[in-house]
Amino acid sequence: MLDPQQCRSARLARDARFDGRFFIAVETTGIFCRPICPATLPQERHVRYFESAVAASRAGFRPCLRCRPDSAPDSPAWQGSQTTLSRAIRLIDAGALQQGNVTALCDRLGIGERYLRQLFQRRFGVSPKAYALYRQCLFAKKLLHETALPVTDVAHASGFSSLRRFNDAFKRQMALTPSDIRRQKRRNAALTIKLAYRPPYQWERLRHFYALHLIEGLEWVDDHSLGRTLRQGETTGYFEAVHDPERHQFVVTLVLSELGDLSAIVRQIRRMLDLDADTATIEAHLQRHLPELPLAEGLRLPGSWGVFEAGIRAVLGQQVSIAAANRLIQSLVDHLGETDAGGRRRFPTAGAIAASDLAFLKLPASRRETVRRLATAWDRGELGEEPRQWLSLKGIGPWTAKVVAMRGNGDPDIWLDGDVGLRRALARLETPVDVATASPWRSYLTMQLWNQIL
């Protein structure tokens, strides 16, 4: 359970990353809510915090009808089922019900169809198929608004097998037809999407971080943009995000082999650029509890392209300098990464790394085996998206798992104990810093301290 001050900070930011970790009861209304509830924020003197919905209910509070705290993730009602539900959601978002059916999904999850329906009914109030269909239609609506893709291509990118089925489903879900919201635009060779953020946004420091860790051929950075190659499911290609500070957005151009994984790709880009953070609230919390720390306004968490890449890069970065880690990652990409038609290189697949002896890496044999062990486990589907589960792998310690959680998953509350750079930054401060007070945003404290030395 977070302490009351941490809960206060998280609820004021309405940070979805803390949904389910605590609940907010309001004494003046007798209602308890989730941290993400859209209702007007109550004054702190009227608020009580509870670890579970059950505890709030037993204290005499009734659940909010807007945010439905009974369905919050990670609440006690979900203990034992949250992992299954989270994996089901990830598979559905990746197209499991577009390419197969509920029976096949349940086989992959190792559960029965009735149990899966119960999980989705409790969490969302709909069936797995209805959830998948609504997500498809929401993504299609974004494409219709923001791109010049023909409606047929929008249907395909959203996971529909036929235009007729797309039109029928879209009208049922949105009470509109695609033509009602279709903007007439000239078709471009590439797909362009605008991704907004809440200012302030410290682009210069984010750009500097990516430039400092740049891998030639895989990534490219200039004063105004960031780009890289990608692989998501069966889709390959690349994107380039151009910063537009006047409109508080990035204009993202994508060139992809196919559009079926576009929704997941856009989510990855949002996480890489940390577009959903409320940095003003986060920095107000840090300044209040750590007034001795000089803060750079609008710092974001720079992400990797998924937890597997973050894991490989973290292992290669163990106990070496940034420059040395870059040389190792560059060698890995040059030897095992695929080259596209434009001469760009993609990050190697888990299968390619697992099949190589990695003799070209100037590393101790034990470190090379850790890289191969991680790649083999990932390729076999033995590892999940939660890096803390990776600690059972020999060679993966707490520092590595935390780096992966912060850069691969965007975890906002990671403190890298023992990190050399953080020790150097802390030693420069005249007054000792109480790191615990930075929770639940210790990842942003990490970035603020790194900013002092990088």
Side-chain angles (χ1 to χ4, degrees):
M1 177 64 179
L2 302 174
D3 64 38
Q5 186 56 49
Q6 293 168 334
C7 293
R8 176 182 180 275
S9 300
R11 84 171 178 91
L12 291 177
R14 288 196 173 103
D15 196 318
R17 292 171 290 192
F18 295 93
D19 189 21
R21 294 184 61 182
F22 67 94
F23 295 84
I24 304 157
V26 184
E27 293 179 335
T28 53
T29 64
I31 293 172
F32 72 96
C33 303
R34 297 157 66 175
I36 61 169
C37 185
T40 302
L41 292 170
Q43 296 183 25
E44 187 66 21
R45 68 176 182 271
H46 300 313
V47 166
R48 292 174 60 186
Y49 298 108
F50 292 91
E51 186 172 5
S52 69
V54 173
S57 180
R58 287 178 176 173
F61 296 92
R62 64 185 185 277
C64 173
L65 297 179
R66 296 184 69 180
C67 66
R68 294 186 58 206
D70 53 299
S71 64
D74 297 324
S75 60
W78 288 102
Q79 294 300 322
S81 65
Q82 178 61 24
T83 300
T84 299
L85 180 64
S86 297
R87 187 175 175 223
I89 292 171
R90 285 196 299 270
L91 290 172
I92 290 173
D93 288 346
L97 294 185
Q98 299 169 25
Q99 302 155 6
N101 54 33
V102 173
T103 300
L105 174 62
C106 289
D107 288 342
R108 294 178 66 179
L109 296 170
I111 61 174
E113 292 185 34
R114 181 180 178 184
Y115 181 54
L116 181 66
R117 287 194 295 270
Q118 289 175 343
L119 291 180
F120 273 82
Q121 193 65 40
R122 289 178 186 173
R123 173 69 184 274
F124 301 109
V126 297
S127 68
K129 286 289 289 185
Y131 166 85
L133 190 62
Y134 186 68
R135 290 296 295 267
Q136 288 175 252
C137 290
L138 279 180
F139 188 62
K141 185 173 182 290
K142 180 178 180 65
L143 295 181
L144 289 166
H145 274 300
E146 298 185 4
T147 77
L149 284 174
V151 174
T152 302
D153 287 353
V154 170
H156 174 63
S158 306
F160 290 92
S161 57
S162 73
L163 183 59
R164 180 177 178 179
R165 183 170 181 270
F166 168 61
N167 286 328
D168 290 344
F170 194 90
K171 187 173 182 179
R172 286 198 308 271
Q173 296 289 335
M174 302 297 165
L176 293 168
T177 66
S179 60
D180 289 333
I181 60 173
R182 172 81 277 181
R183 293 179 179 177
Q184 298 300 322
K185 292 183 179 180
R186 180 174 58 87
R187 184 176 181 179
N188 297 316
L191 173 65
T192 301
I193 296 178
K194 298 173 183 177
L195 302 179
Y197 60 81
R198 285 175 288 186
Y201 193 101
Q202 184 59 257
W203 160 248
E204 289 75 16
R205 296 309 300 173
L206 186 76
R207 185 204 66 80
H208 175 72
F209 187 97
Y210 278 118
L212 195 64
H213 296 81
L214 183 72
I215 304 302
E216 294 290 341
L218 177 75
E219 304 157 317
W220 52 96
V221 179
D222 62 24
D223 290 345
H224 305 290
S225 67
L226 162 72
R228 65 158 290 154
T229 62
L230 60 88
R231 179 192 304 277
Q232 185 73 28
E234 299 300 318
T235 302
T236 57
Y238 64 90
F239 78 86
E240 185 167 279
V242 179
H243 188 218
D244 182 357
E246 293 185 0
R247 294 178 175 83
H248 308 312
Q249 66 183 13
F250 282 84
V251 180
V252 182
T253 302
L254 301 107
V255 177
L256 306 173
S257 61
E258 55 184 280
L259 298 175
D261 295 300
L262 182 56
S263 178
I265 289 169
V266 172
R267 287 197 300 275
Q268 287 281 68
I269 295 171
R270 290 197 69 88
R271 185 187 53 75
M272 279 192 67
L273 298 172
D274 197 14
L275 299 182
D276 298 314
D278 183 352
T279 55
T281 299
I282 292 169
E283 287 154 16
H285 173 91
L286 296 179
Q287 192 68 70
R288 185 166 56 252
H289 293 282
L290 303 169
E292 67 280 4
L293 180 67
L295 297 180
E297 190 178 58
L299 277 189
R300 305 283 168 147
L301 300 181
S304 293
W305 191 262
V307 293
F308 173 69
E309 180 178 323
I312 295 296
R313 295 179 79 142
V315 172
L316 293 177
Q318 290 174 353
Q319 301 176 346
V320 297
S321 66
I322 293 175
N326 286 350
R327 287 193 293 271
L328 291 169
I329 299 165
Q330 186 74 63
S331 181
L332 183 74
V333 171
D334 290 344
H335 280 82
L336 301 179
E338 300 170 350
T339 303
D340 67 14
R344 295 169 288 264
R345 302 193 72 86
R346 290 189 283 271
F347 196 83
T349 65
I353 297 174
S356 172
D357 62 8
L358 304 181
F360 55 85
L361 291 178
K362 306 305 181 183
L363 283 173
S366 59
R367 188 76 55 80
R368 285 199 298 269
E369 282 306 306
T370 298
V371 173
R372 293 185 71 247
R373 197 177 295 118
L374 172 57
T376 300
W378 185 268
D379 191 46
R380 293 174 177 173
E382 297 171 356
L383 296 180
E385 298 281 337
E386 174 48 65
R388 285 176 295 185
Q389 301 170 357
W390 299 11
L391 294 173
S392 59
L393 286 179
K394 184 178 180 181
I396 304 294
W399 183 90
T400 302
K402 288 180 178 180
V403 169
V404 176
M406 185 172 73
R407 296 210 59 204
N409 274 341
D411 191 318
D413 198 27
I414 295 295
W415 177 251
L416 300 176
D417 303 303
D419 182 84
V420 175
L422 293 182
R423 288 204 301 266
R424 286 170 51 200
L426 290 171
R428 294 183 180 184
L429 299 177
E430 296 181 0
T431 306
V433 169
D434 184 359
V435 173
T437 62
S439 185
W441 287 299
R442 287 177 292 180
S443 295
Y444 292 90
L445 172 62
T446 297
M447 292 309 304
Q448 291 287 349
L449 291 170
W450 276 348
N451 185 56
Q452 308 293 319
I453 60 172
L454 294 180

